[in-house]
Amino acid sequence: MGYAALSKEVTLSLDGETRTVSSMGSTVGDVLESEDIEVDDKDIVSPGLDEKVDDGTRIAVRFARPLELEVDGEVRTYWVTSTDVDSALSEIGRRFAGADLSASRGAEIDRGGMSLTVVTPKKLTIKVGKDKRTKREVAGLTVRDVLDKLKVDYDKDDIVKPGLGTEVSEGDKITVTKVRVSTKRVDGESIDFDTVEREDSSMYEGETETVRAGREGKRDVVYRLTYRNGELFATKVVKADVLRKPVDAIVRVGTKQNAPNFAGGSTVWDQLAQCEAGGNWAINTGNGYYGGLQFNLSTWHAYGGSGYPHQNSRETQIAIATKVRDANGGYGAWPGCASKLGLPT
Protein backbone atom coordinates (compact mmCIF):
# COMPACT_ATOMS: atom_id res chain seq x y z
CA MET A 1 0.00 0.00 0.00
CA GLY A 2 2.92 2.29 0.77
CA TYR A 3 4.45 1.65 -2.65
CA ALA A 4 1.15 2.32 -4.33
CA ALA A 5 0.79 5.58 -2.44
CA LEU A 6 4.24 6.80 -3.52
CA SER A 7 4.07 5.53 -7.09
CA LYS A 8 2.95 7.90 -9.84
CA GLU A 9 1.40 7.19 -13.22
CA VAL A 10 3.39 9.18 -15.80
CA THR A 11 2.78 9.47 -19.53
CA LEU A 12 6.09 9.16 -21.35
CA SER A 13 6.48 10.24 -25.02
CA LEU A 14 9.70 9.21 -26.77
CA ASP A 15 10.04 10.71 -30.25
CA GLY A 16 6.26 10.81 -30.43
CA GLU A 17 5.66 7.23 -29.24
CA THR A 18 3.64 7.35 -26.01
CA ARG A 19 3.34 4.90 -23.11
CA THR A 20 2.30 5.07 -19.48
CA VAL A 21 4.79 4.11 -16.80
CA SER A 22 4.73 3.90 -13.00
CA SER A 23 7.61 5.54 -11.20
CA MET A 24 8.71 6.30 -7.67
CA GLY A 25 10.87 9.16 -8.94
CA SER A 26 10.16 12.70 -7.81
CA THR A 27 11.68 14.50 -10.84
CA VAL A 28 11.63 14.07 -14.56
CA GLY A 29 15.26 12.94 -14.42
CA ASP A 30 14.35 10.27 -11.85
CA VAL A 31 11.60 8.92 -14.07
CA LEU A 32 13.86 8.68 -17.10
CA GLU A 33 16.61 7.04 -15.06
CA SER A 34 14.17 4.46 -13.71
CA GLU A 35 13.25 3.62 -17.29
CA ASP A 36 16.92 3.39 -18.35
CA ILE A 37 16.49 6.30 -20.74
CA GLU A 38 19.71 8.24 -21.25
CA VAL A 39 19.64 11.79 -22.57
CA ASP A 40 22.31 14.39 -23.27
CA ASP A 41 22.42 18.12 -23.81
CA LYS A 42 21.44 17.79 -27.50
CA ASP A 43 18.16 16.05 -26.65
CA ILE A 44 15.01 18.00 -25.80
CA VAL A 45 13.22 17.02 -22.58
CA SER A 46 9.98 18.67 -21.51
CA PRO A 47 9.50 19.44 -18.68
CA GLY A 48 13.14 19.87 -17.72
CA LEU A 49 15.06 17.13 -15.93
CA ASP A 50 14.83 18.88 -12.52
CA GLU A 51 11.09 19.51 -12.72
CA LYS A 52 8.95 17.62 -10.14
CA VAL A 53 6.50 15.03 -11.37
CA ASP A 54 3.03 14.26 -10.06
CA ASP A 55 0.56 11.60 -10.87
CA GLY A 56 -0.52 12.18 -14.50
CA THR A 57 2.52 14.22 -15.53
CA ARG A 58 3.35 14.07 -19.25
CA ILE A 59 7.03 13.85 -20.13
CA ALA A 60 8.15 14.30 -23.74
CA VAL A 61 11.62 13.40 -24.97
CA ARG A 62 12.86 14.16 -28.46
CA PHE A 63 16.23 12.57 -29.11
CA ALA A 64 18.82 14.44 -31.19
CA ARG A 65 20.27 12.64 -34.19
CA PRO A 66 22.96 13.64 -36.70
CA LEU A 67 21.90 14.73 -40.17
CA GLU A 68 24.91 14.74 -42.49
CA LEU A 69 23.86 17.07 -45.28
CA GLU A 70 25.78 17.19 -48.58
CA VAL A 71 24.57 20.13 -50.66
CA ASP A 72 26.05 20.39 -54.17
CA GLY A 73 29.20 18.64 -52.95
CA GLU A 74 29.61 20.60 -49.67
CA VAL A 75 29.12 18.55 -46.48
CA ARG A 76 27.89 19.79 -43.11
CA THR A 77 26.45 17.93 -40.11
CA TYR A 78 23.41 19.15 -38.15
CA TRP A 79 21.86 17.74 -35.00
CA VAL A 80 18.07 17.51 -35.30
CA THR A 81 15.25 16.08 -33.22
CA SER A 82 12.88 15.62 -36.14
CA THR A 83 12.18 12.04 -37.15
CA ASP A 84 11.57 12.58 -40.87
CA VAL A 85 13.48 14.35 -43.64
CA ASP A 86 10.95 17.07 -44.34
CA SER A 87 10.64 18.08 -40.70
CA ALA A 88 14.41 17.96 -40.22
CA LEU A 89 14.97 20.34 -43.15
CA SER A 90 12.35 22.70 -41.73
CA GLU A 91 14.07 22.48 -38.36
CA ILE A 92 17.40 23.68 -39.78
CA GLY A 93 15.67 26.26 -42.00
CA ARG A 94 16.69 24.77 -45.35
CA ARG A 95 13.72 23.61 -47.40
CA PHE A 96 15.54 23.17 -50.74
CA ALA A 97 12.47 23.72 -52.89
CA GLY A 98 12.80 22.05 -56.28
CA ALA A 99 15.97 20.21 -55.28
CA ASP A 100 16.75 16.53 -55.78
CA LEU A 101 17.13 14.58 -52.51
CA SER A 102 18.76 11.18 -52.06
CA ALA A 103 15.85 10.18 -49.80
CA SER A 104 12.18 11.09 -49.94
CA ARG A 105 10.99 13.96 -47.79
CA GLY A 106 8.83 11.53 -45.82
CA ALA A 107 11.71 9.14 -45.07
CA GLU A 108 12.28 8.41 -41.36
CA ILE A 109 15.47 9.38 -39.54
CA ASP A 110 16.32 6.88 -36.77
CA ARG A 111 18.43 7.48 -33.69
CA GLY A 112 21.56 6.68 -35.71
CA GLY A 113 20.96 9.66 -37.97
CA MET A 114 21.09 9.95 -41.77
CA SER A 115 23.32 11.04 -44.62
CA LEU A 116 21.30 13.11 -47.09
CA THR A 117 22.53 14.36 -50.47
CA VAL A 118 20.87 17.45 -51.91
CA VAL A 119 21.31 18.78 -55.44
CA THR A 120 19.85 22.25 -55.89
CA PRO A 121 18.41 23.56 -59.18
CA LYS A 122 20.68 25.89 -61.16
CA LYS A 123 20.06 28.20 -64.09
CA LEU A 124 22.18 26.95 -66.97
CA THR A 125 22.67 27.72 -70.66
CA ILE A 126 22.50 24.62 -72.85
CA LYS A 127 23.44 24.19 -76.52
CA VAL A 128 23.09 20.84 -78.25
CA GLY A 129 24.26 20.37 -81.84
CA LYS A 130 22.89 22.93 -84.26
CA ASP A 131 20.08 23.96 -81.89
CA LYS A 132 20.05 27.45 -80.45
CA ARG A 133 21.23 28.05 -76.91
CA THR A 134 18.46 27.73 -74.33
CA LYS A 135 18.28 28.63 -70.65
CA ARG A 136 17.11 25.83 -68.36
CA GLU A 137 16.83 25.40 -64.59
CA VAL A 138 18.01 21.92 -63.70
CA ALA A 139 18.83 20.14 -60.44
CA GLY A 140 22.03 18.32 -61.33
CA LEU A 141 25.38 18.00 -59.60
CA THR A 142 27.47 17.25 -62.69
CA VAL A 143 27.22 17.91 -66.42
CA ARG A 144 26.27 14.25 -66.89
CA ASP A 145 23.41 14.64 -64.38
CA VAL A 146 22.11 17.71 -66.21
CA LEU A 147 22.17 16.09 -69.64
CA ASP A 148 20.50 12.95 -68.33
CA LYS A 149 17.79 15.04 -66.65
CA LEU A 150 17.17 16.86 -69.94
CA LYS A 151 17.22 13.53 -71.86
CA VAL A 152 20.00 14.76 -74.14
CA ASP A 153 21.40 11.94 -76.27
CA TYR A 154 25.18 11.80 -76.60
CA ASP A 155 27.77 9.14 -77.34
CA LYS A 156 31.53 8.62 -77.03
CA ASP A 157 32.26 10.58 -80.23
CA ASP A 158 30.37 13.70 -79.16
CA ILE A 159 32.26 16.59 -77.57
CA VAL A 160 30.82 17.76 -74.25
CA LYS A 161 32.19 20.93 -72.66
CA PRO A 162 32.75 21.13 -69.75
CA GLY A 163 33.44 17.40 -69.30
CA LEU A 164 30.70 15.04 -68.14
CA GLY A 165 32.16 14.73 -64.63
CA THR A 166 32.45 18.48 -64.07
CA GLU A 167 30.32 19.88 -61.24
CA VAL A 168 28.01 22.64 -62.44
CA SER A 169 27.41 26.01 -60.83
CA GLU A 170 24.82 28.71 -61.31
CA GLY A 171 25.13 30.37 -64.74
CA ASP A 172 27.35 27.71 -66.33
CA LYS A 173 27.24 27.04 -70.07
CA ILE A 174 27.12 23.47 -71.37
CA THR A 175 27.79 22.72 -75.04
CA VAL A 176 27.31 19.37 -76.75
CA THR A 177 28.89 19.15 -80.19
CA LYS A 178 27.37 16.25 -82.11
CA VAL A 179 30.11 14.30 -83.87
CA ARG A 180 29.54 11.72 -86.58
CA VAL A 181 32.37 9.70 -88.12
CA SER A 182 32.02 7.80 -91.39
CA THR A 183 34.27 6.28 -94.07
CA LYS A 184 34.27 6.85 -97.81
CA ARG A 185 36.06 4.82 -100.48
CA VAL A 186 37.15 6.37 -103.77
CA ASP A 187 38.52 4.12 -106.52
CA GLY A 188 40.83 5.49 -109.19
CA GLU A 189 41.29 8.89 -107.57
CA SER A 190 43.74 11.19 -109.38
CA ILE A 191 47.00 12.13 -107.66
CA ASP A 192 48.27 15.58 -108.64
CA PHE A 193 51.80 15.86 -109.92
CA ASP A 194 54.31 18.47 -108.74
CA THR A 195 56.18 20.93 -110.95
CA VAL A 196 59.95 21.08 -110.58
CA GLU A 197 61.44 24.41 -111.70
CA ARG A 198 65.03 24.53 -112.92
CA GLU A 199 66.69 27.91 -113.23
CA ASP A 200 68.27 28.68 -116.60
CA SER A 201 70.52 31.72 -116.95
CA SER A 202 70.39 31.57 -120.75
CA MET A 203 66.68 32.52 -120.71
CA TYR A 204 65.27 35.90 -119.74
CA GLU A 205 63.20 36.40 -116.60
CA GLY A 206 59.57 35.53 -117.26
CA GLU A 207 60.45 32.98 -119.93
CA THR A 208 59.67 29.33 -119.27
CA GLU A 209 60.04 26.12 -121.20
CA THR A 210 58.52 22.75 -120.35
CA VAL A 211 61.18 20.06 -120.40
CA ARG A 212 58.88 17.25 -119.37
CA ALA A 213 55.12 17.28 -119.07
CA GLY A 214 53.66 16.06 -115.78
CA ARG A 215 51.32 13.12 -115.51
CA GLU A 216 48.71 12.49 -112.81
CA GLY A 217 48.85 9.30 -110.76
CA LYS A 218 45.95 7.14 -109.58
CA ARG A 219 45.05 5.47 -106.32
CA ASP A 220 42.28 3.68 -104.47
CA VAL A 221 41.75 5.51 -101.19
CA VAL A 222 39.63 5.25 -98.05
CA TYR A 223 38.83 8.47 -96.16
CA ARG A 224 37.60 8.96 -92.62
CA LEU A 225 35.13 11.84 -92.60
CA THR A 226 34.37 13.68 -89.38
CA TYR A 227 31.22 15.80 -89.18
CA ARG A 228 30.48 18.26 -86.39
CA ASN A 229 26.89 19.34 -85.98
CA GLY A 230 26.18 18.02 -89.47
CA GLU A 231 29.00 19.88 -91.25
CA LEU A 232 32.18 18.27 -92.57
CA PHE A 233 34.99 19.17 -90.16
CA ALA A 234 37.93 16.94 -91.10
CA THR A 235 38.99 14.48 -93.78
CA LYS A 236 41.77 11.97 -93.17
CA VAL A 237 43.23 9.27 -95.38
CA VAL A 238 43.16 5.97 -93.51
CA LYS A 239 44.21 3.71 -96.37
CA ALA A 240 45.60 4.31 -99.87
CA ASP A 241 46.72 1.89 -102.59
CA VAL A 242 48.72 3.67 -105.30
CA LEU A 243 47.88 2.24 -108.72
CA ARG A 244 50.14 4.59 -110.67
CA LYS A 245 52.68 7.08 -109.33
CA PRO A 246 52.49 10.67 -110.58
CA VAL A 247 55.27 12.01 -112.80
CA ASP A 248 56.58 15.49 -111.94
CA ALA A 249 56.61 18.17 -114.61
CA ILE A 250 60.00 19.77 -115.25
CA VAL A 251 60.08 23.42 -116.34
CA ARG A 252 63.05 25.63 -117.20
CA VAL A 253 62.69 29.14 -115.72
CA GLY A 254 64.72 32.06 -117.04
CA THR A 255 66.84 34.08 -114.63
CA LYS A 256 68.57 36.44 -117.08
CA GLN A 257 67.56 40.05 -116.43
CA ASN A 258 65.84 41.90 -119.21
CA ALA A 259 67.56 45.05 -120.50
CA PRO A 260 65.53 48.24 -120.07
CA ASN A 261 63.27 49.07 -122.98
CA PHE A 262 64.52 52.29 -124.55
CA ALA A 263 62.59 51.96 -127.81
CA GLY A 264 61.11 55.24 -128.97
CA GLY A 265 57.54 56.11 -129.84
CA SER A 266 55.42 58.93 -131.12
CA THR A 267 53.98 60.33 -127.91
CA VAL A 268 54.41 63.87 -126.55
CA TRP A 269 57.03 62.41 -124.22
CA ASP A 270 58.97 61.04 -127.17
CA GLN A 271 58.91 64.50 -128.74
CA LEU A 272 60.20 66.03 -125.50
CA ALA A 273 62.92 63.35 -125.28
CA GLN A 274 63.94 64.11 -128.86
CA CYS A 275 64.28 67.78 -127.92
CA GLU A 276 65.96 67.22 -124.55
CA ALA A 277 68.28 64.28 -125.34
CA GLY A 278 68.12 63.59 -129.04
CA GLY A 279 65.64 60.79 -128.30
CA ASN A 280 68.24 58.82 -126.30
CA TRP A 281 66.45 57.44 -123.25
CA ALA A 282 69.69 55.90 -121.90
CA ILE A 283 71.83 59.01 -122.09
CA ASN A 284 74.12 60.14 -119.27
CA THR A 285 75.67 63.46 -120.32
CA GLY A 286 77.68 63.87 -117.10
CA ASN A 287 76.12 67.25 -116.33
CA GLY A 288 73.82 65.99 -113.54
CA TYR A 289 70.84 65.30 -115.82
CA TYR A 290 69.91 61.79 -116.95
CA GLY A 291 67.72 59.95 -119.42
CA GLY A 292 65.51 60.98 -122.26
CA LEU A 293 63.73 63.65 -120.20
CA GLN A 294 66.87 64.89 -118.43
CA PHE A 295 65.85 64.37 -114.80
CA ASN A 296 68.07 65.50 -111.97
CA LEU A 297 68.35 62.92 -109.19
CA SER A 298 66.47 64.93 -106.56
CA THR A 299 63.36 65.27 -108.75
CA TRP A 300 63.62 61.65 -109.90
CA HIS A 301 63.71 60.28 -106.35
CA ALA A 302 61.13 62.75 -105.05
CA TYR A 303 58.53 61.32 -107.44
CA GLY A 304 59.28 57.67 -106.73
CA GLY A 305 62.11 56.87 -109.11
CA SER A 306 64.81 54.37 -108.11
CA GLY A 307 68.46 54.24 -109.12
CA TYR A 308 69.42 56.56 -112.01
CA PRO A 309 66.86 57.70 -114.57
CA HIS A 310 68.90 56.58 -117.58
CA GLN A 311 69.13 53.04 -116.17
CA ASN A 312 65.37 52.68 -116.19
CA SER A 313 63.17 51.88 -119.17
CA ARG A 314 61.46 54.46 -121.36
CA GLU A 315 58.12 53.47 -119.79
CA THR A 316 59.39 54.05 -116.25
CA GLN A 317 60.85 57.46 -117.18
CA ILE A 318 57.53 58.46 -118.77
CA ALA A 319 55.62 57.29 -115.65
CA ILE A 320 57.75 59.51 -113.38
CA ALA A 321 57.51 62.41 -115.82
CA THR A 322 53.72 62.08 -115.83
CA LYS A 323 53.71 62.50 -112.05
CA VAL A 324 55.88 65.63 -112.36
CA ARG A 325 53.59 67.11 -115.04
CA ASP A 326 50.42 66.38 -113.03
CA ALA A 327 51.92 67.87 -109.89
CA ASN A 328 52.92 71.08 -111.70
CA GLY A 329 49.85 71.39 -113.88
CA GLY A 330 51.82 71.28 -117.13
CA TYR A 331 55.20 70.71 -118.78
CA GLY A 332 56.93 73.58 -116.99
CA ALA A 333 59.70 71.26 -115.78
CA TRP A 334 60.93 71.25 -119.39
CA PRO A 335 60.43 74.96 -120.20
CA GLY A 336 62.65 75.28 -123.28
CA CYS A 337 61.44 72.22 -125.16
CA ALA A 338 57.85 72.67 -123.98
CA SER A 339 57.87 76.16 -125.49
CA LYS A 340 59.30 74.87 -128.78
CA LEU A 341 56.66 72.15 -128.95
CA GLY A 342 53.87 74.49 -127.91
CA LEU A 343 53.04 72.48 -124.76
CA PRO A 344 51.28 74.13 -121.80
CA THR A 345 53.56 74.99 -118.91
Side-chain angles (χ1 to χ4, degrees):
M1 290 177 61
Y3 175 82
L6 294 174
S7 178
K8 306 175 185 64
E9 294 286 323
V10 177
T11 300
L12 190 60
S13 174
L14 304 177
D15 282 339
E17 294 185 4
T18 303
R19 70 175 187 264
T20 300
V21 298
S22 296
S23 176
M24 296 284 291
S26 60
T27 66
V28 170
D30 295 337
V31 173
L32 296 181
E33 185 178 359
S34 68
E35 294 295 316
D36 294 326
I37 298 171
E38 295 182 2
V39 294
D40 61 27
D41 56 357
K42 295 185 181 68
D43 302 323
I44 297 177
V45 181
S46 179
L49 292 174
D50 295 331
E51 295 291 327
K52 293 186 178 297
V53 294
D54 297 313
D55 195 46
T57 296
R58 298 179 64 86
I59 301 174
V61 179
R62 299 190 69 84
F63 294 102
R65 58 212 70 202
L67 176 63
E68 185 183 79
L69 197 61
E70 180 181 343
V71 182
D72 293 335
E74 295 185 7
V75 181
R76 181 177 176 183
T77 299
Y78 298 85
W79 285 88
V80 298
T81 59
S82 300
T83 57
D84 63 82
V85 170
D86 197 45
S87 299
L89 293 178
S90 295
E91 183 179 336
I92 64 175
R94 306 190 73 179
R95 294 292 301 166
F96 299 113
D100 279 355
L101 310 181
S102 60
S104 69
R105 291 181 179 271
E108 292 186 359
I109 305 176
D110 60 26
R111 292 278 300 274
M114 172 184 279
S115 293
L116 182 67
T117 300
V118 179
V119 179
T120 61
K122 303 164 189 70
K123 292 180 181 178
L124 307 169
T125 301
I126 314 293
K127 186 179 189 310
V128 179
K130 293 190 292 186
D131 296 340
K132 292 182 178 180
R133 292 189 181 276
T134 58
K135 293 187 181 296
R136 302 292 296 272
E137 188 170 39
V138 186
L141 180 61
T142 65
V143 171
R144 179 183 285 106
D145 296 335
V146 171
L147 296 181
D148 291 346
K149 281 284 187 68
L150 296 176
K151 294 182 169 52
V152 174
D153 292 328
Y154 57 90
D155 59 31
K156 61 181 180 61
D157 293 324
D158 295 335
I159 301 171
V160 181
K161 291 184 178 181
L164 291 170
T166 304
E167 293 188 6
V168 295
S169 302
E170 182 77 10
D172 280 354
K173 296 179 180 179
I174 299 174
T175 302
V176 179
T177 302
K178 304 297 291 181
V179 178
R180 179 172 64 86
V181 180
S182 64
T183 57
K184 177 183 178 182
R185 180 181 178 86
V186 180
D187 293 331
E189 180 184 70
S190 296
I191 306 174
D192 290 337
F193 60 83
D194 292 327
T195 298
V196 179
E197 295 185 348
R198 294 178 178 172
E199 294 183 349
D200 190 328
S201 61
S202 68
M203 299 170 57
Y204 285 111
E205 290 179 347
E207 293 181 343
T208 61
E209 179 182 338
T210 300
V211 178
R212 183 179 72 190
R215 186 182 72 178
E216 292 181 337
K218 286 190 177 299
R219 68 179 181 177
D220 294 336
V221 61
V222 177
Y223 291 102
R224 182 171 65 211
L225 307 177
T226 302
Y227 295 86
R228 290 190 179 183
N229 295 337
E231 296 182 1
L232 183 62
F233 175 78
T235 301
K236 183 178 181 180
V237 175
V238 293
K239 182 181 179 183
D241 295 322
V242 177
L243 307 177
R244 186 180 71 210
K245 292 183 178 180
V247 177
D248 292 343
I250 300 176
V251 178
R252 293 168 58 204
V253 178
T255 59
K256 186 178 180 180
Q257 291 188 350
N258 289 301
N261 177 19
F262 295 117
S266 58
T267 66
V268 170
W269 296 112
D270 291 297
Q271 295 176 43
L272 272 175
Q274 184 66 38
C275 178
E276 293 282 349
N280 185 356
W281 293 91
I283 192 171
N284 178 5
T285 59
N287 62 355
Y289 293 89
Y290 308 90
L293 297 172
Q294 292 292 280
F295 286 98
N296 62 43
L297 280 181
S298 61
T299 301
W300 176 257
H301 291 152
Y303 285 89
S306 62
Y308 283 85
H310 68 288
Q311 295 174 339
N312 285 263
S313 68
R314 165 182 172 274
E315 288 76 11
T316 301
Q317 293 182 50
I318 291 175
I320 299 299
T322 301
K323 292 182 181 181
V324 175
R325 180 200 63 190
D326 293 345
N328 291 281
Y331 297 87
W334 304 271
C337 289
S339 177
K340 288 180 182 181
L341 297 173
L343 300 174
T345 59

